[in-house]
Amino acid sequence: MDFFSVIYYRIKKIWKAIRLYLVIAGPGLVVMIADNDAGGITTYAATGAKYGYHLIWFLLLLIPVAYYVQEMTVRLGAVTKRGHAEAIFESFGAFWGWFSLLDLMIVDWLTLVTEFVGMTAALNIFGVPSWLTVVLVIVLMGIIMLNGRYWTWEKIALGFCLLNLIYVPAAFMVNPSISDIIHQGLIPNLPGGLTNELFFLLMANIGTTIAPWMLFFQQSSVVDKGLLEKDIKMGKIDTFIGSIITVAIAVFIVIVTGTLLNGSPIDDAATAAKMLMSINHYTGAFLAIGLFDAGLLGAICISLASSWAFGEIFGWAHSLNTKVKEAPWFYISFFFTLATAGVVPLIPGAPLVIITLFVQVIAVTLLPAALVFLILLLNDRKTMGEYANTRTQNIVSTVIVVAIIILSTMYGISALFPNLFQ
Amino acid sequence: MRMFRQFVGKIREINSKYANPKVVMSRSVSISLAALRIYLFLLVILMLYKLMTVIKVF
């Protein structure tokens, strides 16, 4: 009898924890899966096409990197009840605040343009004209945003996150060799040595894993959802599961292109989808659908990150729990950012290559600052109390942040001066 | 014009609200912020250099 009652109470306890997780889950999952945006899909497709399964081990290393950086925003948001932009203004003053806010605005807008480029290219494959894609996306965003509840928005966003898993069946459809994946992919190796091309691709993979908007988005999202100190544990689990899923999706993309397009140079994911369609129609179609979904998720989160940040600083009502009448500037800034970015890919001869280059370069000016501020804020014991970084957390996060700063700086500089490292 | 004046007024209000940083300026915080300033300064110089070389080409 005792045995059965112990089992019963254990199951009840686990079920309670799962239910609690399902209530709190959201910010971590959404931000991590949205991290696999259109640019990310292109990077992973190019990684698989160029080096087959050989860099899967490197992608797996990015799980703790993404987790350690993002979990800090959960603690900061839950304890301070402030978004990242407001936290920077308040702790470091107006100079660093404006620098971060304006940098965020520029890099978010440019990244949004790249999301629209990805979405229009993906639907072009199915014969949908670019203008119609842009209109459809803005209307869809309107429907998602204007329901006046954070909860509904989050569940719809999670639905799009689920669609991102389309790469899983796509990977099984191409019948990859499990033995090759294990032997080539899981044993650390640098195919062909550390060449400039490989180094650039490794840096691109890191660059797509940690983006400045993610810090601002997750912290604001935690605040808008109303997570408290007692929810931090579940928020961290949410972030950890999200970091595993995002890397798993990246691995499945690498498996798809590594199996069917190994050795082919890929410039963008849409080209990869077209090439895949000629080999395996459904796999190519899945890649295109996934690319559209990735761009859409990225667009939802990136425009929200900017609107939340502006709302925090300008003192506008800035919650998804508010109606348009109550928070007009929050919604106006959201749709203004979205619409202006959506128009760019429709302009004939728009400098899309330069825009992509600028995203990399300007992100490098914001990311180190945002990461340094993050660590400093997490060490402010007066504000953070028992949730401040421990010595171990400081060592781990400082090593990760310094490595990201060095690599992302080299990535940005090599984007500016492509021949510098040759 | 009225909107522009309101906007400028809002910026001034934000600047005065956040005029004094709340973080304790310990040695490590000061060093980190100084390093960040140097890093960004060098990055801006690199970008300007790139811009000059691009303009020269045209």
Side-chain angles (χ1 to χ4, degrees):
Chain A
M1 188 63 188
D2 268 356
F3 172 76
F4 285 111
S5 37
V6 168
I7 295 286
Y8 172 76
Y9 281 108
R10 281 215 177 138
I11 290 172
K12 210 175 161 187
K13 202 176 165 188
I14 292 168
W15 178 235
K16 196 180 164 190
I18 291 171
R19 276 194 310 180
L20 181 64
Y21 171 70
L22 290 176
V23 172
I24 291 166
L29 279 178
V30 172
V31 75
M32 285 296 184
I33 297 174
D35 178 38
N36 284 345
D37 62 351
I41 303 294
T42 296
T43 306
Y44 304 134
T47 303
K50 180 72 189 168
Y51 295 106
Y53 309 141
H54 288 279
L55 294 179
I56 288 177
W57 64 272
F58 182 77
L59 290 172
L60 296 176
L61 286 182
L62 296 178
I63 294 175
V65 173
Y67 169 73
Y68 268 103
V69 171
Q70 289 300 133
E71 75 84 19
M72 288 194 273
T73 64
V74 177
R75 278 186 281 149
L76 199 55
V79 173
T80 62
K81 318 283 184 292
R82 289 193 186 96
H84 202 55
E86 199 178 348
I88 293 174
F89 262 91
E90 196 164 89
S91 296
F92 302 101
F95 170 77
W96 287 114
W98 285 118
F99 164 77
S100 301
L101 190 68
L102 296 176
D103 224 350
L104 179 78
M105 186 187 79
I106 297 167
V107 80
D108 275 5
W109 189 82
L110 291 172
T111 314
L112 257 180
V113 173
T114 65
E115 305 300 352
F116 273 103
V117 170
M119 285 188 282
T120 50
L123 290 196
N124 272 340
I125 293 172
F126 300 108
V128 180
S130 299
W131 67 267
L132 187 57
T133 305
V134 172
V135 172
L136 280 175
V137 166
I138 293 174
V139 170
L140 189 62
M141 295 275 206
I143 295 167
I144 298 168
M145 285 286 292
L146 299 177
N147 66 72
R149 283 188 71 193
Y150 174 89
W151 194 91
T152 317
W153 172 87
E154 189 183 84
K155 297 311 163 213
I156 296 171
L158 283 171
F160 286 116
C161 289
L162 214 58
L163 189 59
N164 218 256
L165 297 174
I166 199 165
Y167 298 108
V168 181
F172 281 102
M173 281 161 65
V174 299
N175 292 318
S177 159
I178 304 296
S179 159
D180 284 353
I181 292 172
I182 293 168
H183 289 109
Q184 295 172 12
L186 298 185
I187 299 163
N189 68 100
L190 296 173
L194 189 61
T195 57
N196 292 316
E197 205 173 3
L198 176 64
F199 187 59
F200 194 79
L201 211 53
L202 292 178
M203 288 189 292
N205 275 288
I206 294 172
T208 54
T209 307
I210 298 292
W213 67 264
M214 291 170 69
L215 307 175
F216 289 81
F217 175 86
Q218 192 169 3
Q219 194 172 329
S220 297
S221 179
V222 162
V223 175
D224 207 357
K225 187 161 183 169
L227 296 191
L228 305 168
E229 282 95 327
K230 66 180 172 63
D231 304 319
I232 287 176
K233 195 179 165 192
M234 282 296 171
K236 284 163 106 173
I237 293 173
D238 184 42
T239 308
F240 185 63
I241 293 174
S243 60
I244 291 174
I245 294 175
T246 189
V247 171
I249 291 169
V251 169
F252 281 111
I253 297 168
V254 166
I255 290 172
V256 170
T257 55
T259 306
L260 295 185
L261 303 176
N262 199 352
S264 318
I266 297 291
D267 287 331
D268 60 90
T271 312
K274 277 183 209 160
M275 286 167 79
L276 282 171
M277 272 177 131
S278 61
I279 304 166
N280 183 323
H281 182 80
Y282 288 108
T283 311
F286 279 18
L287 189 70
I289 293 168
L291 176 63
F292 173 77
D293 181 57
L296 188 68
L297 253 180
I300 293 173
C301 297
I302 291 164
S303 7
L304 252 181
S306 295
S307 303
W308 266 326
F310 273 102
E312 287 159 16
I313 302 311
F314 282 86
W316 307 328
H318 55 276
S319 170
L320 285 168
N321 288 318
T322 52
K323 300 276 179 205
V324 181
K325 272 186 187 173
E326 297 159 344
W329 287 108
F330 172 64
Y331 289 101
I332 286 171
S333 70
F334 178 87
F335 284 105
F336 179 77
T337 316
L338 199 68
T340 49
V343 166
V344 177
L346 304 180
I347 301 168
L352 299 177
V353 176
I354 293 176
I355 287 171
T356 310
L357 181 97
F358 257 78
V359 170
Q360 295 159 0
V361 174
I362 296 177
V364 166
T365 63
L366 178 57
L367 188 62
L371 289 173
V372 168
F373 292 145
L374 191 63
I375 291 189
L376 294 179
L377 287 167
L378 264 294
N379 277 289
D380 184 0
R381 289 182 193 280
K382 208 169 84 184
T383 311
M384 294 301 295
E386 61 177 299
Y387 297 101
N389 268 2
T390 60
R391 188 186 288 267
T392 317
Q393 281 171 326
N394 269 334
I395 292 169
V396 173
S397 52
T398 305
V399 168
I400 288 173
V401 164
V402 169
I404 291 175
I405 290 174
I406 292 170
L407 290 170
S408 64
T409 305
M410 289 174 87
Y411 182 49
I413 291 173
S414 61
L416 273 179
F417 307 98
N419 301 321
L420 195 69
F421 296 115
Q422 280 176 8
Chain B
M1 197 62 192
R2 193 169 146 253
M3 261 183 85
F4 178 74
R5 251 182 277 148
Q6 274 180 341
F7 181 72
V8 173
K10 188 76 194 168
I11 302 283
R12 280 195 185 135
E13 187 192 316
I14 294 167
N15 284 341
S16 63
K17 185 180 171 187
Y18 298 110
N20 302 311
K22 278 194 177 163
V23 76
V24 180
M25 279 293 164
S26 63
R27 200 177 153 84
S28 58
V29 174
S30 306
I31 290 171
S32 302
L33 292 181
L36 206 56
R37 276 176 205 265
I38 294 166
Y39 169 85
L40 290 169
F41 181 70
L42 292 175
L43 217 58
V44 169
I45 287 178
L46 265 179
M47 282 188 203
L48 287 176
Y49 173 74
K50 176 71 182 181
L51 190 73
M52 299 280 272
T53 52
V54 170
I55 291 168
K56 247 185 195 174
V57 169
F58 284 105

